[in-house]
Amino acid sequence: MPDTDRPLGVQISRMLKDRGVDTIFGIPGVHNQELYRGIEQAGITHVLARHEQGAGFMADGYARASGRPGVCYVITGPGLTNIMTPMGQAYSDSIPMLVISSCLDETAARKGQLHQMKDQRAAAETVSDWAVEARSAQAAYQLIDRALLELDHATRPRPKSISVPIAVLEANAEPAPTAHQIRRSRLRDSDLAPVQTLLRTAKRPMFIFGGGVRDASAVADLLQDTQAASFVTYAGRGLVAPDARHFFGSNLARPGSADVIASADLVIAVGTELAEVDLWRAKLGQSAPLVRVDIDADPLGDQNGADLKIRYDADLFLSDLRDMGVARASSGWTQAEVAQARAQWRAEVDADYPHIRPVAGALRACLPEDTMIYSDMTQFAYAAKEVWDMDRPGHWHHPTGFGTLGYGLPAAIGGAVARAGKPTMAIAGDYGFQYTCNELATAVELQLPLPIILWDNGKLGAIESSMVAAQIAPNAVIQKNPDFDLLARAYGAGYEAPETLDDMQKTVRAAFDADKPTLIRLTPALVA
């Protein structure tokens, strides 16, 4: 059959493959089956999720691990609404995701159709950068190219939604045109000169690095040259080496960090929104000049009041600044003040989340090099994100912004698919795990050697603490859990419940060598 005789659904898969897409997550249905006609022929791997929410989180995890867009195929109506939660998470955390769905050909004149919604496009737009409907093959090609180019080159790589009518997917279409390439421009030296001047005159400069930064070597060079202190956001963990001088860690959310920041005479925040979920307070707390560098204009004008705003790629900014030369002979920061602050914050974490730090330390010590971690909304992750210094960036992923339960397992599956042969681990709480535990079937089907750390305290622990602090009787925070052993084995997964930290370490190491996922249940009794 010549290329011109192929349905658009086939041509879309071929187009995606030509533009570097090698994996698609989704679930086929009668409305989107034309998209599936061309997947195998195009040479694309399809990962079958058990729910569109799982497919979306898998695409998110794949994108975070690979740096490439996570692509999903879903059906009209409920397929789209089911994936909206992962889309909201991807939007909040600036994750590149492309959701291609089918849609009905006509909704105004015809009612009562299968999967019919009042306005599917408008629903998708609430959780995406943009949502459009492609009513012709050429429109589909243009919109897919626009989405992929923006996900790779434009400001924040937030999710895009493209719906294609069923009849358009079924109709024959010409192949997609050849893709175009875009180059990023560089800053001029004159744009960086004010920052260079500020750094040379500051006695206590400070950098705050966020998830928009990827180049750890440029970070290390700049900290060495400037003798500056540093913080990282949760998304920026691993950008600063754990043993770096004057490193205050990922403790921005601790109230005392505002006092430390106020003692700096220059603050440069790179690749971070300094959002509520980074600080857990209204403002950063600086009293000195604040330089903001972000690829998006929106954060540059927020409530923190930047004195110098630079809209630019974070990594290019750091490498350009390093290459200009900003060396300093001494620092106004001392290791003693850093050690004192971090010791205080560790004590606060222990008070807020008893039992977790020793378990997290033992877990960290037994992981293979280059392990990538995906965590859910659970107290274990909340504590670990503050006390577990990562030795490389982009290796701990958490649903920070939208804060959705059920993220950890399916996102780890997506990450493991992207990192075939490399160690990947999931961390979830006993409650959040049950949001998407059905995706154990996908992990078993793929024979993924995936340790799943299940922190089981038998309740919604963080909510209970919050309600007590607000003087609210902690209602509805205790749930009856299933027998996790039977649940795991029903799906064909492994299950372990170690009773000591030594046993836990042995169990985790063995799980990385298995031919299936292993659910590893941990409780506070490990260190009680």
Side-chain angles (χ1 to χ4, degrees):
M1 181 183 291
D3 286 346
T4 53
D5 293 335
R6 297 183 186 280
L8 176 61
V10 173
Q11 302 288 24
I12 285 176
S13 289
R14 295 181 63 181
M15 176 187 187
L16 292 171
K17 178 66 174 180
D18 289 343
R19 283 149 177 75
V21 175
D22 57 17
T23 305
I24 290 174
F25 303 88
I27 302 174
V30 293
H31 278 186
N32 73 342
Q33 64 188 13
E34 283 299 330
L35 288 167
Y36 283 77
R37 188 188 294 274
I39 288 181
E40 226 174 86
Q41 186 185 60
I44 292 176
T45 298
H46 181 269
V47 176
L48 176 63
R50 271 34 182 191
H51 189 281
E52 286 90 357
Q53 186 179 65
F57 287 143
M58 290 176 198
D60 175 301
Y62 174 93
R64 296 189 197 222
S66 68
R68 302 189 300 274
V71 180
C72 296
Y73 283 171
V74 299
I75 62 165
T76 315
L80 188 280
T81 57
N82 284 342
I83 205 171
M84 283 175 61
T85 295
M87 291 171 69
Q89 187 63 61
Y91 183 90
S92 183
D93 286 357
S94 302
I95 303 303
M97 181 188 295
L98 173 59
V99 176
I100 300 178
S101 61
S102 55
C103 65
L104 296 173
D105 304 314
E106 170 58 53
T107 58
R110 295 182 60 191
K111 301 298 180 182
Q113 300 176 80
L114 178 66
H115 301 331
Q116 187 163 11
M117 294 179 64
K118 289 180 66 176
D119 195 333
Q120 178 172 310
R121 187 211 61 79
E125 192 171 46
T126 63
V127 287
S128 59
D129 188 19
W130 48 258
V132 293
E133 187 174 308
R135 293 196 161 271
S136 68
Q138 291 308 311
Y141 296 152
Q142 289 178 345
L143 292 167
I144 290 171
D145 262 340
R146 174 188 167 193
L148 293 175
L149 286 170
E150 288 185 12
L151 289 171
D152 193 36
H153 295 283
T155 54
R156 293 192 182 280
R158 284 168 164 156
K160 327 289 182 183
S161 172
I162 300 174
S163 297
V164 187
I166 298 166
V168 177
L169 286 173
E170 294 172 342
N172 290 347
E174 295 280 344
T178 304
H180 297 286
Q181 299 296 320
I182 295 177
R183 294 181 180 273
R184 286 184 175 143
S185 60
R186 310 284 294 194
L187 278 179
R188 299 184 303 270
D189 285 354
S190 59
D191 297 319
L192 289 169
V195 184
Q196 185 185 41
T197 299
L198 287 168
L199 274 170
R200 285 180 171 170
T201 56
K203 292 181 171 57
R204 286 169 62 90
M206 171 180 287
F207 282 93
I208 300 174
F209 300 107
V213 180
R214 292 289 185 269
D215 189 351
S217 63
V219 168
D221 292 342
L222 268 176
L223 291 179
Q224 176 66 33
D225 290 346
T226 62
Q227 302 292 307
S230 61
F231 278 94
V232 292
T233 66
Y234 295 141
R237 291 165 63 222
L239 287 166
V240 180
D243 59 352
R245 298 184 68 219
H246 316 318
F247 177 41
F248 285 95
S250 53
N251 299 109
L252 285 169
R254 288 288 140 191
S257 71
D259 295 330
V260 173
I261 292 166
S263 74
D265 58 2
L266 171 65
V267 180
I268 303 177
V270 186
T272 171
E273 294 182 82
L274 298 179
E276 178 187 67
V277 292
D278 294 317
L279 306 175
W280 293 110
R281 56 180 179 269
K283 294 185 179 181
L284 182 62
Q286 83 285 354
S287 56
L290 172 63
V291 178
R292 296 288 299 274
V293 182
D294 203 281
I295 201 168
D296 192 359
D298 288 347
L300 300 179
D302 68 8
Q303 70 278 6
N304 287 296
D307 300 276
L308 180 58
K309 306 169 186 177
I310 301 175
R311 185 179 181 184
Y312 193 49
D313 178 273
D315 287 337
L316 293 180
F317 167 81
L318 294 173
S319 61
D320 287 353
L321 184 61
R322 174 192 60 191
D323 294 344
M324 281 189 71
V326 286
R328 298 167 44 84
S330 61
S331 175
W333 299 96
T334 68
Q335 283 300 97
E337 64 182 313
V338 175
Q340 181 179 0
R342 297 204 64 174
Q344 173 63 35
W345 296 332
R346 281 194 298 272
E348 291 174 6
V349 169
D350 287 341
D352 291 342
Y353 308 109
H355 311 302
I356 292 178
R357 190 160 65 93
V359 181
L363 182 59
R364 179 189 181 194
C366 74
L367 297 185
E369 186 178 1
D370 198 31
T371 297
M372 186 169 284
I373 300 168
Y374 291 84
S375 58
D376 217 308
M377 298 295 285
T378 169
Q379 284 187 311
F380 192 95
Y382 306 154
K385 287 191 305 172
E386 294 195 70
V387 298
W388 184 324
D389 288 331
M390 300 294 290
D391 61 2
R392 62 196 68 199
H395 275 62
W396 187 306
H397 305 290
H398 185 78
T400 300
F402 212 41
T404 176
L405 286 161
Y407 172 84
L409 171 59
I413 292 172
V417 169
R419 289 164 42 88
K422 296 182 179 179
T424 304
M425 184 175 75
I427 297 175
D430 55 317
Y431 194 84
F433 172 73
Q434 295 177 69
Y435 271 54
T436 51
C437 63
N438 55 332
E439 301 304 345
L440 269 175
T442 301
V444 170
E445 198 167 71
L446 296 173
Q447 297 183 311
L448 297 178
L450 180 67
I452 305 161
I453 304 301
L454 182 72
W455 182 249
D456 183 1
N457 58 7
K459 57 186 176 182
L460 293 164
I463 307 305
E464 180 185 58
S465 297
S466 178
M467 293 174 81
V468 169
Q471 297 185 336
I472 299 171
N475 299 311
V477 294
I478 307 295
Q479 77 280 355
K480 179 175 174 54
N481 281 331
D483 185 318
F484 288 114
D485 185 358
L486 294 179
L487 178 67
R489 296 185 189 280
Y491 280 109
Y495 175 82
E496 299 290 343
E499 296 182 356
T500 68
L501 294 180
D502 285 344
D503 288 342
M504 178 197 72
Q505 291 179 319
K506 294 173 185 175
T507 297
V508 170
R509 284 191 289 263
F512 282 111
D513 295 325
D515 61 355
K516 58 186 176 183
T518 305
L519 186 63
I520 303 172
R521 177 176 173 265
L522 308 180
T523 72
L526 272 175
V527 292

